[in-house]
Amino acid sequence: MEQLVMVAIKEEGLIPIVEGSMVVIVGRRGCHMNFVAQRLLERLKAYPTMYEVSEEFVARMTLMHNLGRTLRGDYKTLVAPLFPAIFIGGKLVGGLDQLIAIHVTGKLIPMLKEAGAIWL
Amino acid sequence: MNSAPTQVAASGRLSIYEPNHQISMWGDSFKADSSQNTSASTIVEGEVKLSDKLEDNSHEALRQSKKFDQEANRPSDKVLRRLAQNREAARKSRLRKKAYVQQLESSRIKLSQLEQELGRARQQGLYIGGNLGDSALGFSGSVNSGVAAFEMEYGHWVEEQNRQICELRTGLQAHVSDIELRILVESGMAHYDNLFRIKTIAAKSDVFYLMSGMWKTTAERFFLWIGGFRPSELLKLEPLTEQQVVAVYNLQQSSQQAEDALSQGMDKLQQTLAETLTSDPLDLSGTNNYMEQMTVAVGKLEALVSFVNQADHLRQQTLQQMYKILTTRQAARGLLALGDYFQRLRALSSLWAARPREPA
C-alpha cells in the first residue's frame, strides 16, 4: 500500500511538497481525519503542512489499491483508508491509525525530533 | 232464524228476571214477617244498615283507592326519578364493563404478538439478557440484522469476560505460576481484540447504534466516548517500578493526546454538519440547493464510521502497550482491575434501575 501511495505521489508531482516540509499531511478536502492528525501533531508542537488532493486523485488511488489487493488475493472487507497520508521527514508514515499507533508506542516523538520538526 | 233472537231474548229475560225473582223473594220474606212490626223494621233496618254498610264499604274502597292513588302519585315522582337513575347507572356500568373487556381483549392480543416476536427473536439468536434488558426488545423487531448479530455477540462477550475475570481473580489469589498467569493475560488481551473486531463490523452496519451506546448498560453509557470507554480509563495501575512509572506516564500522555485530537475532530464534525444543514430559509435557489446540502451532509456522517474505528484502534493500542510495559503479574492485576471496574458499572446500572422511586 505504501508503495502505491509513493508511486501516486510521484506521479502527481507531490514529491517536492512531501520532501519540502518536515511534517506533511496529504488528505482529501474536508476530511475530518486530516484535522485529527493535524491537532495531534500540533499538540506535540510539530506544525504540519496540509495538502489537499482532489477527489479524482483519491478515486484513482482507491481503484489502483483495490486492483492490487485483488491481484494479491487480499479480500479483506475492512481496509484502512488511504488518506490522510502522513509524511515525516519526507518518509511516508502511513494513515491516521499508524500515526496513533507510533505515538502510543512512544516512537512518534523521537521521529519528529529526528526530522527536526520538534526540539527538546 | 227465530231461535237465535229468542234464545237471546230468553237469556236476557232470564237474567233480568232473576233479580226480580230474588227481590220478590225478599219481598216474600218481608211479607212473611210483616205481621210482626219489629221484625220488619229490623229487617228494614238491616236492609238499611246493609245498604249503608254497602255504601260505607264502597266509600271506604273509594277512599282507600284514592289514598293509594295519592301515595302512588306523590312518591311516584321520587320513585320514577330513582328508577331512572338506576337505569342510567346500570347502563353506564354496562358500558364500563364493555370497555374494560375490550381493553383486556386488545391487551391479550398485544401480549400474544409480543410473545411471538420474542420467540422469533430468540430463534434468530438475539441475546436478551442481564445487561441489555429492555433496550434489546426495541431492536428485536428491527430489520437491521447487523445490530441483532452484534447484540448477540456482545452478550456472549460479556459472559466470557465475566468468566475470565473470575479465573484471573482465583488465579492471582491462589498465586499460580507466571506461565499460567501469562496464558490468562493473553486470552484476556485476545478477548478485547475480539470486542474491537465485532465493533468494527457493527460500525459498518449501523454506526449510530454503536455511538448511542444502547448496547451498554445505563451507567456505562454515562462514560461513553465515541462509541465506547475512554482509553484513559484503561490505565488504572498500582505498584510500579520506577522505570514503569515513566513508561506508564508516557503512555497516559500519548493516549490522552490522541484522545483529545479525536474529541476535537468530533467537535469539528458537529460544527461542519450544522453549518451544512444551515441555510437561508428564504433562499429562492430552490430544491437543487437543498438536495446538494443533504448529499453533502450524508457524506459527512460517513466520517462517524472512521471516528469509531479510530477510537477503537486507540483503545486497542493503549491496551497492548500497557501489556508491554508491565510484567505478567502486573498485567494480570491490571486486567482484573479493569474487568472488575466494568462489572461494577454494570451492577450499578441494575441497582439504579431497581431503586425505590417515589410515586409521581
Side-chain angles (χ1 to χ4, degrees):
Chain A
M1 196 263 273
E2 289 78 10
Q3 281 178 333
L4 181 69
V5 173
M6 287 314 292
V7 164
I9 296 290
K10 269 198 197 126
E11 271 187 30
E12 290 295 304
L14 293 177
I15 294 289
I17 293 170
V18 157
E19 290 181 348
S21 304
M22 290 166 286
V23 186
V24 182
I25 300 176
V26 178
R28 304 158 74 160
R29 186 148 167 261
C31 175
H32 290 83
M33 295 309 154
N34 303 351
F35 183 72
V36 174
Q38 183 185 11
R39 297 300 297 135
L40 179 57
L41 287 164
E42 284 174 359
R43 179 76 175 271
L44 304 175
K45 307 269 199 290
Y47 297 95
T49 307
M50 307 295 293
Y51 188 84
E52 275 178 14
V53 289
S54 64
E55 279 307 305
E56 183 250 353
F57 177 74
V58 173
R60 247 189 314 125
M61 292 282 300
T62 312
L63 183 62
M64 280 162 60
H65 183 46
N66 287 337
L67 277 174
R69 282 176 54 221
T70 311
L71 288 172
R72 285 196 306 270
D74 174 6
Y75 295 109
K76 284 204 296 277
T77 49
L78 306 169
V79 182
L82 294 170
F83 294 99
I86 296 133
F87 295 82
I88 297 179
K91 269 172 41 194
L92 177 64
V93 167
L96 178 60
D97 46 353
Q98 264 101 20
L99 185 69
I100 288 176
I102 64 171
H103 187 40
V104 166
T105 53
K107 296 187 200 132
L108 180 57
I109 292 183
M111 207 182 280
L112 288 171
K113 280 188 190 162
E114 209 187 296
I118 59 175
W119 301 270
L120 213 94
Chain B
M1 287 254 272
N2 284 336
S3 57
T6 358
Q7 262 183 334
V8 169
S11 57
R13 227 181 280 137
L14 267 170
S15 56
I16 291 171
Y17 280 127
E18 255 183 338
N20 287 344
H21 186 60
Q22 278 184 341
I23 290 172
S24 58
M25 273 174 75
W26 272 43
D28 286 344
S29 61
F30 283 146
K31 272 182 194 157
D33 291 340
S34 60
S35 55
Q36 296 158 14
N37 287 340
T38 46
S39 54
S41 58
T42 327
I43 290 171
V44 169
E45 259 183 298
E47 202 184 13
V48 166
K49 273 199 183 115
L50 188 62
S51 65
D52 265 345
K53 208 167 181 203
L54 273 173
E55 237 178 26
D56 277 339
N57 280 342
S58 63
H59 259 294
E60 190 59 42
L62 197 60
R63 224 179 307 133
Q64 288 279 7
S65 69
K66 244 193 208 158
K67 194 175 168 197
F68 182 72
D69 258 338
Q70 276 169 349
E71 272 173 355
N73 277 334
R74 216 193 306 123
S76 75
D77 277 335
K78 250 197 228 170
V79 167
L80 275 177
R81 206 176 338 123
R82 212 175 296 143
L83 285 175
Q85 283 173 344
N86 282 351
R87 274 199 298 277
E88 190 57 34
R91 192 174 70 87
K92 282 193 184 143
S93 168
R94 277 196 299 276
L95 283 176
R96 271 201 305 275
K97 182 178 175 186
K98 191 174 174 191
Y100 178 66
V101 167
Q102 275 177 351
Q103 208 180 39
L104 278 181
E105 284 293 313
S106 62
S107 293
R108 195 170 60 82
I109 293 170
K110 191 164 182 209
L111 184 64
S112 68
Q113 276 176 352
L114 279 176
E115 281 176 349
Q116 269 179 21
E117 240 179 70
L118 205 61
R120 253 184 277 128
R122 284 231 172 91
Q123 273 183 354
Q124 286 175 22
L126 181 65
Y127 178 82
I128 300 170
N131 58 316
L132 292 176
D134 296 322
S135 67
L137 272 178
F139 291 105
S140 66
S142 84
V143 185
N144 197 331
S145 60
V147 165
F150 175 74
E151 285 203 347
M152 183 185 74
E153 286 181 319
Y154 180 68
H156 294 154
W157 189 89
V158 171
E159 279 176 3
E160 174 63 18
Q161 175 78 340
N162 291 336
R163 198 190 60 77
Q164 284 189 1
I165 297 302
C166 264
E167 271 192 330
L168 269 173
R169 188 177 287 122
T170 49
L172 280 169
Q173 283 170 344
H175 300 289
V176 297
S177 70
D178 263 20
I179 300 170
E180 278 184 66
L181 271 183
R182 193 194 170 107
I183 295 173
L184 289 176
V185 167
E186 301 222 321
S187 39
M189 297 295 291
H191 197 52
Y192 276 108
D193 285 343
N194 280 343
L195 175 63
F196 298 128
R197 191 177 46 80
I198 64 177
K199 279 183 76 184
T200 311
I201 298 170
K204 281 211 133 186
S205 177
D206 188 345
V207 69
F208 274 104
Y209 170 69
L210 264 189
M211 296 267 313
S212 73
M214 289 311 292
W215 49 285
K216 289 197 174 225
T217 63
T218 43
E220 286 176 294
R221 249 175 265 150
F222 176 56
F223 290 96
L224 202 70
W225 178 80
I226 312 187
F229 51 82
R230 279 184 185 273
S232 35
E233 276 178 32
L234 293 168
L235 304 169
K236 311 165 188 294
L237 305 169
E238 13 64 41
L240 303 166
T241 65
E242 268 178 43
Q243 264 178 329
Q244 287 177 326
V245 165
V246 172
V248 168
Y249 175 75
N250 287 337
L251 176 59
Q252 274 174 340
Q253 287 286 94
S254 325
S255 184
Q256 188 65 54
Q257 283 160 355
E259 204 180 292
D260 292 343
L262 282 170
S263 295
Q264 286 165 14
M266 285 290 281
D267 289 342
K268 179 110 189 291
L269 178 60
Q270 270 191 350
Q271 203 184 323
T272 51
L273 190 61
E275 280 168 15
T276 309
L277 291 174
T278 309
S279 70
D280 181 6
L282 296 174
D283 187 3
L284 297 170
S285 340
T287 45
N288 265 348
N289 225 6
Y290 179 84
M291 281 317 296
E292 233 181 78
Q293 276 184 319
M294 284 304 176
T295 312
V296 170
V298 168
K300 296 226 177 287
L301 280 181
E302 302 274 1
L304 274 175
V305 180
S306 305
F307 272 106
V308 172
N309 286 341
Q310 292 295 338
D312 277 343
H313 180 72
L314 176 60
R315 292 176 185 113
Q316 196 173 26
Q317 289 291 318
T318 308
L319 256 180
Q320 286 174 355
Q321 183 65 7
M322 181 193 90
Y323 173 49
K324 277 190 218 163
I325 297 172
L326 303 176
T327 65
T328 310
R329 193 156 293 268
Q330 284 169 329
R333 280 207 297 269
L335 279 177
L336 175 60
L338 191 64
D340 206 38
Y341 172 72
F342 288 125
Q343 255 181 358
R344 279 167 201 231
L345 265 184
R346 286 184 218 116
L348 180 63
S349 304
S350 302
L351 281 175
W352 173 256
R355 77 193 185 286
R357 269 172 265 204
E358 283 176 16

